[in-house]
Amino acid sequence: SSAASDVYKRQKLNTALANLKRKIPTFFINNIAVNVETKVIKTNTFYRLKLGAYKTNKQATTACEALKQQKINCFVTYYTQEKPQPTL
């Protein structure tokens, strides 16, 4: 993965977040935390958009189900907060 392709992937992530905010604006009313989890697998860097954190698993599951009803892929996982991402 090159620095140029990482920038491109980050731009795609920013675009995906902007599209989510347009598609489901009510989901973002409460200033939900938005973080990015970075994973490097072999030579590829992947970015996972993480929304949360929720106090309980039930709250997270309810929010995830609401996203799925909007045809947005979602799964509940442990929340890890990385350094704030200035581009988001």
Side-chain angles (χ1 to χ4, degrees):
S1 163
S2 71
S5 71
D6 286 350
V7 168
Y8 173 73
K9 290 176 187 175
R10 283 242 181 231
Q11 288 171 342
K12 285 182 69 173
L13 188 68
N14 290 335
T15 300
L17 178 59
N19 289 340
L20 275 178
K21 287 181 176 182
R22 274 193 298 278
K23 185 172 183 175
I24 50 168
T26 56
F27 196 80
F28 293 90
I29 286 175
N30 295 325
N31 295 321
I32 192 166
V34 177
N35 284 286
V36 175
E37 180 180 58
T38 304
K39 292 281 185 191
V40 178
I41 301 173
K42 296 187 180 183
T43 60
N44 295 307
T45 303
F46 297 91
Y47 302 98
R48 178 179 292 157
L49 186 61
K50 298 190 102 174
L51 306 175
Y54 293 91
K55 291 183 180 182
T56 67
N57 186 282
K58 183 176 179 173
Q59 289 174 329
T61 301
T62 299
C64 188
E65 290 302 321
L67 290 173
K68 287 178 181 179
Q69 288 176 2
Q70 297 293 322
K71 308 273 190 263
I72 298 168
N73 291 329
C74 173
F75 62 93
V76 175
T77 184
Y78 286 102
Y79 188 80
T80 57
Q81 182 160 349
E82 294 188 2
K83 295 177 186 173
Q85 304 297 323
T87 56
L88 294 176

